[in-house]
């Protein structure tokens, strides 16, 4: 699908559907899962070679950032939350030629419709190809900041559930909430996966912005380009700050993961301890019952009137004494 946009009175305006040729006045062409025919239309109009989906997936810097046919080709991984809140990462290519911007993408980052909705109102920035490109990246970085803020909130909430104690309504004694450790592990794993993908996305965007900076420095410094250059520097600082924040969140997630795994081990040890204590407590009574269950002909206690109560008493006492010992030691 091709979406074409122009500018009017400082606002972004949409063009009718492109059929055979890109009309005059188009400054941004947004290609979403383009067909072969749509690629050929843009290639013929702008005289450039549109990279294929396989080429977009290349990870070498030379394949993602290059100049060809008078155009700059830049690719970065953008991330979004898909179905079931799962992270979806896919490369998005930005092509700048003259005063026209072309974007090629095969998924739907929320930053694009957010920017289009905002740009339909009068803007203080220049609505040129470069100006739209920088504004679009600003929307992408803002969206990344929102994602990281949400990851931080989820991590803090999970940490609170893991380490805090809940009191009874009467306030008599603090009791630890029963934790669903498997659910906590799943939540931590999801946010850790999302955070790592977000950091990877920020690194790719940072490389692309650095490449943009080099191109802008070599371009004739008009007033608009000077403004874009200043905005690119701010973008670089924002991306670096978000990358550092993603690294910080990654450390918190790793610590929280270790803590939950440690609590799981403690719970397992507690269960094993209960079984061990139970085995030790019931071992002496079992021994007494085994002795009097032997089939020897001469066992005087079998003929005693109080032999049976005596055996029961010995079994109860032999079970109570180990339990009392463990209780005094604080093992129970």
């Amino acid at each position: 699908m091709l979406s074409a946009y122009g500018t009017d009175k400082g606002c972004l305006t949409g063009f009718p559907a492109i059929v055979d040729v890109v009309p005059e006045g188009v400054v941004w062409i947004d290609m979403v899962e383009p067909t072969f025919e749509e690629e050929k239309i843009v290639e013929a109009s702008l005289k450039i070679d549109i990279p294929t989906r396989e080429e977009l997936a290349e990870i070498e810097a030379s394949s993602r950032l290059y100049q060809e046919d008078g155009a700059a080709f830049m690719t970065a991984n953008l991330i979004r939350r898909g179905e079931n809140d799962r992270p979806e990462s896919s490369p998005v290519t930005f092509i700048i030629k003259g005063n026209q911007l072309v974007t090629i993408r095969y998924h739907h980052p929320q930053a694009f419709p957010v920017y289009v909705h905002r740009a339909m109102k009068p803007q203080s920035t220049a609505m040129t190809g470069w100006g739209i490109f920088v504004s679009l990246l600003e929307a992408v970085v803002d969206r990344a900041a929102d994602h990281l803020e949400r990851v931080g909130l989820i991590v803090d909430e999970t940490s609170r559930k893991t380490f805090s104690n809940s009191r009874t309504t009467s306030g008599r004694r603090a009791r630890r909430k029963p934790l669903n450790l498997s659910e906590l592990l799943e939540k931590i794993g999801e946010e850790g996966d999302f955070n790592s993908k977000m950091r990877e996305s920020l690194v790719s965007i940072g490389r692309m912005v650095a490449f943009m900076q080099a191109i802008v420095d070599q371009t004739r410094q008009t007033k608009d380009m000077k403004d874009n250059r200043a905005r690119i520097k701010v973008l670089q600082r924002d991306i670096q700050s978000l990358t550092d924040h993603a690294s910080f969140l990654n450390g918190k997630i790793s610590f929280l993961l270790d803590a939950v795994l440690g609590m799981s081990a403690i719970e397992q040890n507690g269960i094993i301890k209960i079984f061990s204590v139970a085995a030790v407590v019931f071992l002496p009574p079992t021994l007494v019952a085994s002795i009097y269950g032997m089939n020897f002909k001469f066992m005087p206690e079998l003929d005693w009137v109080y032999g049976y109560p005596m055996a029961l008493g010995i079994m109860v006492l032999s079970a109570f004494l180990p339990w009392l010992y463990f209780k005094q030691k604080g093992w129970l």
Side-chain angles (χ1 to χ4, degrees):
M1 182 181 69
L2 296 184
S3 299
Y5 300 94
T7 58
D8 181 30
K9 297 179 181 179
C11 302
L12 196 69
T13 58
F15 274 76
I18 298 176
V19 180
D20 296 322
V21 65
V22 176
E24 294 290 335
V26 171
V27 294
W28 177 25
I29 303 173
D30 187 22
M31 306 174 66
V32 183
E33 299 182 7
T35 63
F36 179 77
E37 292 74 16
E38 291 172 338
E39 290 181 358
K40 290 301 179 184
I41 292 173
V42 177
E43 288 178 344
S45 300
L46 300 184
K47 296 180 175 55
I48 58 176
D49 183 20
I50 299 294
T52 64
R53 188 170 189 174
E54 290 73 21
E55 292 172 339
L56 293 184
E58 294 291 337
I59 61 173
E60 294 84 359
S62 59
S63 300
R64 287 176 170 255
L65 309 169
Y66 62 94
Q67 290 179 289
E68 184 180 81
D69 298 328
F73 295 76
M74 293 163 280
T75 301
N77 285 331
L78 301 189
I79 195 171
R80 67 183 291 268
R81 287 187 181 268
E83 296 181 359
N84 300 323
D85 230 18
R86 300 288 183 181
E88 294 180 0
S89 179
S90 181
V92 177
T93 294
F94 302 86
I95 305 173
I96 283 283
K97 184 172 185 181
N99 192 38
Q100 290 180 310
L101 168 68
V102 179
T103 54
I104 309 167
R105 54 194 175 98
Y106 292 88
H107 73 320
H108 305 276
Q110 291 298 318
F112 280 74
V114 168
Y115 168 71
V116 171
H117 177 73
R118 185 174 61 200
M120 292 292 181
K121 302 174 183 178
Q123 302 292 306
S124 59
T125 58
M127 298 298 288
T128 61
W130 276 102
I132 294 174
F133 184 22
V134 176
S135 297
L136 191 55
L137 285 183
E138 289 173 343
V140 169
V141 173
D142 288 342
R143 191 69 182 175
D146 293 339
H147 283 312
L148 289 179
E149 182 179 2
R150 181 181 176 184
V151 171
L153 291 175
I154 293 176
V155 170
D156 289 342
E157 177 66 16
T158 306
S159 178
R160 186 189 64 78
K161 289 180 179 179
T162 304
F163 297 112
S164 65
N165 287 333
S166 64
R167 293 187 175 273
T168 58
T169 54
S170 61
R172 296 174 186 172
R173 190 180 62 172
R175 292 181 181 176
R176 183 172 293 278
K177 266 188 177 180
L179 295 176
N180 188 336
L181 295 179
S182 61
E183 181 181 341
L184 289 178
L185 281 174
E186 182 179 354
K187 178 61 69 175
I188 294 170
E190 288 178 358
E191 297 310 313
D193 182 39
F194 186 89
N195 188 69
S196 63
K197 283 185 169 58
M198 178 56 69
R199 191 177 187 283
E200 177 187 2
S201 174
L202 289 170
V203 169
S204 66
I205 296 173
R207 290 171 54 195
M208 185 176 68
V209 172
F211 186 76
M212 287 171 55
Q213 181 73 55
I215 296 176
V216 170
D217 289 342
Q218 297 172 1
T219 307
R220 187 170 62 89
Q221 295 298 304
T222 62
K223 181 180 182 302
D224 290 342
M225 291 305 293
K226 288 181 180 179
D227 292 341
N228 291 331
R229 183 179 181 183
R231 293 168 64 194
I232 289 173
K233 289 183 177 180
V234 174
L235 262 179
Q236 287 179 314
R237 289 195 294 268
D238 291 343
I239 292 170
Q240 184 59 49
S241 298
L242 292 177
T243 303
D244 294 341
H245 187 58
S247 300
F248 166 72
L249 288 177
N250 186 61
K252 287 186 67 175
I253 291 172
S254 298
F255 166 74
L256 194 56
L257 179 62
D258 292 340
V260 172
L261 290 176
M263 287 187 173
S264 177
I266 291 173
E267 281 197 0
Q268 292 176 354
N269 291 338
I271 294 172
I272 297 300
K273 182 178 69 174
I274 291 174
F275 280 105
S276 301
V277 170
V280 173
V281 167
F282 287 103
L283 181 60
T286 304
L287 176 62
V288 174
S290 300
I291 292 174
Y292 287 103
M294 293 186 294
N295 296 320
F296 289 107
K297 184 176 181 180
F298 182 73
M299 294 185 71
E301 295 89 348
L302 298 180
D303 295 329
W304 292 356
V305 176
Y306 297 104
Y308 175 67
M310 180 198 69
L312 290 180
I314 292 174
M315 285 189 283
V316 171
L317 184 62
S318 63
F320 176 74
L321 291 178
W323 177 86
L324 183 62
Y325 177 77
F326 292 146
K327 191 72 173 177
Q328 290 177 346
K329 289 290 186 179
W331 297 348
L332 292 176

